[in-house]
Amino acid sequence: MKEKLEPFLPVIGVVGLFAVWFGATSLKLVDPVLLPSPMEAGKAFYKGMYGVLGFDFVKTVYRTLMATAIAAVIAIPLGIVLGASEKLYRSLEFVIDFFRSTPASAMFPLFLVLFGVGDETKISVAAFGAILVILFNVAYGVMNARKTRLLAAKVMGASRLRVLFDVMLFESLPQTFVGLRNGVSLALVIIVVAEMFIGSQDGLGHSVFEAQQMFEMPRMYAAIFAAGALGYGLNLIFLTIERRFVHWSGK
Amino acid sequence: MNAAQHALRVETAGVPSANSLTVGAIKRPHVTVRGLSKKFGKTTIYDNFDLDIPRGELISVFGPNGCGKSTLINMIAGLIPMDAGQILFDGMQLADIKFGYVFQNYREALFPWMRAFDNIAYPLKMMNVSPAERKARTEQLVARLGVKIDLNLYPYQMSGGQQQLVSIMRALVVEPEILFLDEPFSALDYEMTLFMREQLQKLFMESGTTMVLVSHDLEEAVYLADHVLLLSRHPARVADFPAVTSPRPRTDATLSDPEFVSTKAHCLEVFQREVRRA
Ligand SMILES: Nc1ncnc2c1ncn2[C@@H]1O[C@H](COP(=O)(O)OP(=O)(O)O)[C@@H](O)[C@H]1O
Ligand SMILES: [Mg+2]
């Protein structure tokens, strides 16, 4: 009986949240202009996704995935090279850590000068942030490859290059996926912020910002919800790929 | 290589064995260790150490914890460098022979991203054997050993014993001239350990490969060995190198055989003497 209820536990939180929201609006505990009822917000979301909000959603997905893809293509090979040579990594560690700790949003003005106000700027700032996160994780994954496994490959006559591709690469995959998931989350944050403030005509960030400016609260909540669903969905997709692809992780 | 070539190499490249340890009647040595020295920091583990390992025998290495058993086979197998000395295999260098190594920690030694079958075939890939022949030779080995495990599983889907069996098969697939095993069963439960001892004895009798087995269990060391290499505390010396003459296949009955019992008692005596020595 208890086990049967187990899968439904997460639903309780969701139902609870909507109940509180519904209660607060129907009892008029909050200004209805600031917090519309769940039904109104839901209607705005439903209608929006078939219209402008849907278009903004697709734009943000495109930019986020583009940034993540560019970051992955640059950071994964670089991370493997850095991780394989501990001396090289140690000599660059400070630079990587420093830029990893620098808020990527602080780079907007620089990238605006470099790329103008188009998509390139948003995507490249997000890619910049994601690169450092992915790079760091890949390099650590390679560096923390199990010593015994490397020795085993060496004992079987594997060359250094073979050890790199046959063992270190696979050993680093679980950590690489951690990096990819963090990278895509960060890219989404940066893209949404960029869409709000740097001369954007579309995207979820723009949608939230515009709705707020025009005081269309249901539409704003709908856009916020869409952004949340996107972040959650991206994480879920990456987790699913990871489980299939890195089936040995944690075993 | 044929026997004549072997003999030739021993004659021409053989090392003088005046100071070698030849306790009892030992076959022509397979491995000769001469003047081996090794320090870790200020600790001397080996100082001018000599040893002959007879061909086609199973040698158990037994000694106090931390005396240098792993260090010895790791240096012979080229996993760690030696400070000084020479190790030859029939007069040849390690790079010229085929050998296998089985790690204690099978979990970390196998490749979890490969199925068991591909794990076993991996060393053949390193020897540039074609995929078709890799498959054929691996299947041959499996058939010869009569192993009944589903080799399409990934290592983490198998029991510890099965994983270690896969490790041993991976080491045997290249038909090594010598096989090193560092406490291969110590991470297994007792029941599995007993089973794996039988498996190893079967493999040894089947293949005739020279084997060097590090064990921390005296009964196991004596039960499996043709000679027991008893080491002192470091700097390690050969405390004794007694032969175990009980006929193979050894069984549970061997354990209560008077000769076996007395050999084991002798080993224990030597071990305790070495442990007590300050
Ligand atoms: N890489 C290393 N660095 C420093 N000391 C080591 C290292 N490997 C082993 N030792 C030391 O050398 C001694 C012999 O180690 P080992 O050969 O592993 O012993 P065992 O006989 O138990 O297998 C031990 O005292 C150990 O602490
Ligand atoms: Mg050891």
Side-chain angles (χ1 to χ4, degrees), chain B residues 39-41 43 45-46 63-72 74 80 182-183 214 231 234:
Chain B
K39 281 185 180 183
F40 285 120
T43 319
I45 310 294
Y46 287 97
N65 200 11
C67 74
K69 303 180 292 292
S70 300
T71 306
L72 178 65
N74 289 347
I80 56 174
D182 191 357
E183 304 200 11
V214 175
L231 292 177
H234 60 71

mmCIF file of all heavy atoms in Angstrom, chain B residues 39-41 43 45-46 63-72 74 80 182-183 214 231 234, ligand 1:
data_model
loop_
_atom_site.group_PDB
_atom_site.id
_atom_site.type_symbol
_atom_site.label_atom_id
_atom_site.label_comp_id
_atom_site.label_asym_id
_atom_site.label_seq_id
_atom_site.Cartn_x
_atom_site.Cartn_y
_atom_site.Cartn_z
ATOM 1 N N LYS B 39 63.529 1.621 -3.741
ATOM 2 C CA LYS B 39 63.232 2.414 -2.551
ATOM 3 C C LYS B 39 61.975 3.224 -2.802
ATOM 4 O O LYS B 39 61.740 3.688 -3.919
ATOM 5 C CB LYS B 39 64.374 3.394 -2.278
ATOM 6 C CG LYS B 39 65.580 2.798 -1.618
ATOM 7 C CD LYS B 39 66.576 3.906 -1.300
ATOM 8 C CE LYS B 39 67.815 3.335 -0.635
ATOM 9 N NZ LYS B 39 68.747 4.388 -0.248
ATOM 10 N N PHE B 40 61.168 3.396 -1.774
ATOM 11 C CA PHE B 40 60.105 4.407 -1.808
ATOM 12 C C PHE B 40 60.527 5.478 -0.811
ATOM 13 O O PHE B 40 60.502 5.234 0.390
ATOM 14 C CB PHE B 40 58.753 3.819 -1.408
ATOM 15 C CG PHE B 40 58.128 2.981 -2.483
ATOM 16 C CD1 PHE B 40 57.845 1.633 -2.268
ATOM 17 C CD2 PHE B 40 57.788 3.539 -3.707
ATOM 18 C CE1 PHE B 40 57.258 0.870 -3.255
ATOM 19 C CE2 PHE B 40 57.205 2.778 -4.698
ATOM 20 C CZ PHE B 40 56.943 1.438 -4.477
ATOM 21 N N GLY B 41 60.932 6.622 -1.295
ATOM 22 C CA GLY B 41 61.465 7.649 -0.408
ATOM 23 C C GLY B 41 62.695 7.099 0.279
ATOM 24 O O GLY B 41 63.646 6.690 -0.383
ATOM 25 N N THR B 43 62.528 4.503 2.415
ATOM 26 C CA THR B 43 62.313 3.104 2.767
ATOM 27 C C THR B 43 62.862 2.191 1.678
ATOM 28 O O THR B 43 62.448 2.278 0.522
ATOM 29 C CB THR B 43 60.808 2.814 2.937
ATOM 30 O OG1 THR B 43 60.209 3.906 3.624
ATOM 31 C CG2 THR B 43 60.568 1.531 3.692
ATOM 32 N N ILE B 45 62.789 -1.149 -0.045
ATOM 33 C CA ILE B 45 61.910 -2.319 -0.143
ATOM 34 C C ILE B 45 62.721 -3.521 -0.626
ATOM 35 O O ILE B 45 62.600 -4.617 -0.109
ATOM 36 C CB ILE B 45 60.738 -2.045 -1.113
ATOM 37 C CG1 ILE B 45 60.060 -0.718 -0.780
ATOM 38 C CG2 ILE B 45 59.735 -3.197 -1.065
ATOM 39 C CD1 ILE B 45 59.367 -0.661 0.541
ATOM 40 N N TYR B 46 63.545 -3.286 -1.644
ATOM 41 C CA TYR B 46 64.432 -4.347 -2.123
ATOM 42 C C TYR B 46 65.851 -3.809 -2.223
ATOM 43 O O TYR B 46 66.043 -2.663 -2.636
ATOM 44 C CB TYR B 46 63.971 -4.866 -3.493
ATOM 45 C CG TYR B 46 62.718 -5.705 -3.378
ATOM 46 C CD1 TYR B 46 61.468 -5.146 -3.606
ATOM 47 C CD2 TYR B 46 62.804 -7.039 -3.008
ATOM 48 C CE1 TYR B 46 60.320 -5.897 -3.468
ATOM 49 C CE2 TYR B 46 61.652 -7.805 -2.865
ATOM 50 C CZ TYR B 46 60.417 -7.229 -3.098
ATOM 51 O OH TYR B 46 59.293 -7.978 -2.947
ATOM 52 N N GLY B 63 54.021 -13.244 2.504
ATOM 53 C CA GLY B 63 54.904 -12.535 3.431
ATOM 54 C C GLY B 63 54.110 -11.521 4.229
ATOM 55 O O GLY B 63 52.937 -11.303 3.965
ATOM 56 N N PRO B 64 54.784 -10.887 5.200
ATOM 57 C CA PRO B 64 54.094 -9.911 6.046
ATOM 58 C C PRO B 64 53.465 -8.789 5.217
ATOM 59 O O PRO B 64 53.959 -8.471 4.140
ATOM 60 C CB PRO B 64 55.210 -9.352 6.940
ATOM 61 C CG PRO B 64 56.319 -10.329 6.856
ATOM 62 C CD PRO B 64 56.200 -11.027 5.555
ATOM 63 N N ASN B 65 52.425 -8.222 5.768
ATOM 64 C CA ASN B 65 51.743 -7.110 5.100
ATOM 65 C C ASN B 65 52.737 -5.971 4.842
ATOM 66 O O ASN B 65 53.490 -5.596 5.729
ATOM 67 C CB ASN B 65 50.597 -6.636 6.002
ATOM 68 C CG ASN B 65 49.572 -5.850 5.216
ATOM 69 O OD1 ASN B 65 49.615 -5.846 3.986
ATOM 70 N ND2 ASN B 65 48.678 -5.196 5.921
ATOM 71 N N GLY B 66 52.748 -5.456 3.630
ATOM 72 C CA GLY B 66 53.604 -4.312 3.315
ATOM 73 C C GLY B 66 55.067 -4.653 3.092
ATOM 74 O O GLY B 66 55.907 -3.772 3.057
ATOM 75 N N CYS B 67 55.372 -5.955 2.926
ATOM 76 C CA CYS B 67 56.781 -6.325 2.781
ATOM 77 C C CYS B 67 57.282 -6.090 1.360
ATOM 78 O O CYS B 67 58.487 -6.015 1.126
ATOM 79 C CB CYS B 67 57.011 -7.774 3.190
ATOM 80 S SG CYS B 67 56.407 -8.981 2.004
ATOM 81 N N GLY B 68 56.376 -5.976 0.410
ATOM 82 C CA GLY B 68 56.809 -5.695 -0.958
ATOM 83 C C GLY B 68 56.388 -6.751 -1.972
ATOM 84 O O GLY B 68 56.983 -6.848 -3.044
ATOM 85 N N LYS B 69 55.345 -7.509 -1.658
ATOM 86 C CA LYS B 69 54.866 -8.550 -2.582
ATOM 87 C C LYS B 69 54.342 -7.921 -3.880
ATOM 88 O O LYS B 69 54.742 -8.301 -4.974
ATOM 89 C CB LYS B 69 53.752 -9.385 -1.926
ATOM 90 C CG LYS B 69 54.160 -10.037 -0.620
ATOM 91 C CD LYS B 69 53.048 -10.857 -0.007
ATOM 92 C CE LYS B 69 51.874 -10.038 0.500
ATOM 93 N NZ LYS B 69 52.188 -9.202 1.677
ATOM 94 N N SER B 70 53.455 -6.927 -3.725
ATOM 95 C CA SER B 70 52.913 -6.265 -4.916
ATOM 96 C C SER B 70 54.018 -5.552 -5.673
ATOM 97 O O SER B 70 54.082 -5.611 -6.905
ATOM 98 C CB SER B 70 51.838 -5.248 -4.528
ATOM 99 O OG SER B 70 50.788 -5.887 -3.857
ATOM 100 N N THR B 71 54.882 -4.886 -4.916
ATOM 101 C CA THR B 71 55.983 -4.155 -5.552
ATOM 102 C C THR B 71 56.813 -5.100 -6.418
ATOM 103 O O THR B 71 57.190 -4.749 -7.535
ATOM 104 C CB THR B 71 56.870 -3.507 -4.477
ATOM 105 O OG1 THR B 71 56.035 -2.704 -3.628
ATOM 106 C CG2 THR B 71 57.941 -2.629 -5.087
ATOM 107 N N LEU B 72 57.046 -6.311 -5.914
ATOM 108 C CA LEU B 72 57.851 -7.270 -6.669
ATOM 109 C C LEU B 72 57.187 -7.625 -8.004
ATOM 110 O O LEU B 72 57.802 -7.487 -9.064
ATOM 111 C CB LEU B 72 58.090 -8.545 -5.840
ATOM 112 C CG LEU B 72 58.889 -9.640 -6.550
ATOM 113 C CD1 LEU B 72 60.308 -9.177 -6.829
ATOM 114 C CD2 LEU B 72 58.902 -10.942 -5.737
ATOM 115 N N ASN B 74 54.827 -6.123 -9.534
ATOM 116 C CA ASN B 74 54.635 -4.934 -10.365
ATOM 117 C C ASN B 74 55.918 -4.550 -11.101
ATOM 118 O O ASN B 74 55.861 -4.093 -12.242
ATOM 119 C CB ASN B 74 54.137 -3.758 -9.533
ATOM 120 C CG ASN B 74 52.698 -3.950 -9.091
ATOM 121 O OD1 ASN B 74 52.005 -4.825 -9.602
ATOM 122 N ND2 ASN B 74 52.255 -3.150 -8.145
ATOM 123 N N ILE B 80 55.741 -0.686 -12.413
ATOM 124 C CA ILE B 80 56.503 0.381 -11.763
ATOM 125 C C ILE B 80 57.984 0.169 -12.062
ATOM 126 O O ILE B 80 58.431 -0.968 -12.220
ATOM 127 C CB ILE B 80 56.246 0.461 -10.234
ATOM 128 C CG1 ILE B 80 56.537 -0.874 -9.553
ATOM 129 C CG2 ILE B 80 54.831 0.902 -9.929
ATOM 130 C CD1 ILE B 80 56.443 -0.795 -8.037
ATOM 131 N N ASP B 182 47.742 -10.457 -8.498
ATOM 132 C CA ASP B 182 47.959 -9.808 -7.206
ATOM 133 C C ASP B 182 46.699 -9.922 -6.352
ATOM 134 O O ASP B 182 45.740 -9.187 -6.564
ATOM 135 C CB ASP B 182 48.348 -8.337 -7.404
ATOM 136 C CG ASP B 182 48.835 -7.705 -6.100
ATOM 137 O OD1 ASP B 182 48.809 -8.389 -5.055
ATOM 138 O OD2 ASP B 182 49.225 -6.525 -6.134
ATOM 139 N N GLU B 183 46.732 -10.835 -5.396
ATOM 140 C CA GLU B 183 45.588 -11.086 -4.511
ATOM 141 C C GLU B 183 44.265 -11.071 -5.284
ATOM 142 O O GLU B 183 43.360 -10.296 -4.964
ATOM 143 C CB GLU B 183 45.549 -10.041 -3.381
ATOM 144 C CG GLU B 183 46.849 -10.018 -2.599
ATOM 145 C CD GLU B 183 46.699 -9.381 -1.229
ATOM 146 O OE1 GLU B 183 45.555 -9.142 -0.796
ATOM 147 O OE2 GLU B 183 47.733 -9.153 -0.583
ATOM 148 N N VAL B 214 50.232 -13.558 -5.845
ATOM 149 C CA VAL B 214 50.390 -12.983 -4.514
ATOM 150 C C VAL B 214 49.142 -13.339 -3.723
ATOM 151 O O VAL B 214 48.033 -13.180 -4.214
ATOM 152 C CB VAL B 214 50.545 -11.444 -4.576
ATOM 153 C CG1 VAL B 214 50.578 -10.857 -3.162
ATOM 154 C CG2 VAL B 214 51.807 -11.068 -5.333
ATOM 155 N N LEU B 231 58.633 -14.238 1.781
ATOM 156 C CA LEU B 231 59.444 -13.026 1.873
ATOM 157 C C LEU B 231 59.530 -12.541 3.313
ATOM 158 O O LEU B 231 58.596 -12.734 4.098
ATOM 159 C CB LEU B 231 58.851 -11.915 0.994
ATOM 160 C CG LEU B 231 58.907 -12.143 -0.526
ATOM 161 C CD1 LEU B 231 58.226 -10.993 -1.252
ATOM 162 C CD2 LEU B 231 60.339 -12.304 -1.006
ATOM 163 N N HIS B 234 60.469 -5.820 4.806
ATOM 164 C CA HIS B 234 61.393 -5.093 3.945
ATOM 165 C C HIS B 234 62.552 -4.504 4.749
ATOM 166 O O HIS B 234 62.367 -4.164 5.908
ATOM 167 C CB HIS B 234 60.644 -4.025 3.145
ATOM 168 C CG HIS B 234 59.950 -2.992 3.960
ATOM 169 N ND1 HIS B 234 60.606 -2.014 4.675
ATOM 170 C CD2 HIS B 234 58.633 -2.796 4.175
ATOM 171 C CE1 HIS B 234 59.726 -1.257 5.275
ATOM 172 N NE2 HIS B 234 58.504 -1.704 5.004
HETATM 173 N N1 LIG C 1 53.827 4.203 -4.564
HETATM 174 C C1 LIG C 1 54.337 4.066 -3.322
HETATM 175 N N2 LIG C 1 54.873 5.126 -2.689
HETATM 176 C C2 LIG C 1 55.404 4.997 -1.452
HETATM 177 N N3 LIG C 1 55.418 3.858 -0.764
HETATM 178 C C3 LIG C 1 54.899 2.761 -1.318
HETATM 179 C C4 LIG C 1 54.318 2.811 -2.628
HETATM 180 N N4 LIG C 1 53.868 1.581 -2.944
HETATM 181 C C5 LIG C 1 54.143 0.800 -1.880
HETATM 182 N N5 LIG C 1 54.759 1.498 -0.906
HETATM 183 C C6 LIG C 1 55.246 0.952 0.361
HETATM 184 O O1 LIG C 1 56.125 -0.104 0.083
HETATM 185 C C7 LIG C 1 55.897 -1.199 0.929
HETATM 186 C C8 LIG C 1 55.582 -2.444 0.111
HETATM 187 O O2 LIG C 1 54.338 -2.271 -0.529
HETATM 188 P P1 LIG C 1 53.580 -3.457 -1.258
HETATM 189 O O3 LIG C 1 54.507 -4.082 -2.239
HETATM 190 O O4 LIG C 1 52.320 -2.929 -1.782
HETATM 191 O O5 LIG C 1 53.317 -4.449 -0.040
HETATM 192 P P2 LIG C 1 52.535 -5.839 -0.034
HETATM 193 O O6 LIG C 1 53.572 -6.850 0.302
HETATM 194 O O7 LIG C 1 51.529 -5.748 1.058
HETATM 195 O O8 LIG C 1 51.920 -6.047 -1.378
HETATM 196 C C9 LIG C 1 54.773 -0.807 1.870
HETATM 197 O O9 LIG C 1 55.329 -0.430 3.097
HETATM 198 C C10 LIG C 1 54.124 0.357 1.183
HETATM 199 O O10 LIG C 1 53.639 1.271 2.149
#
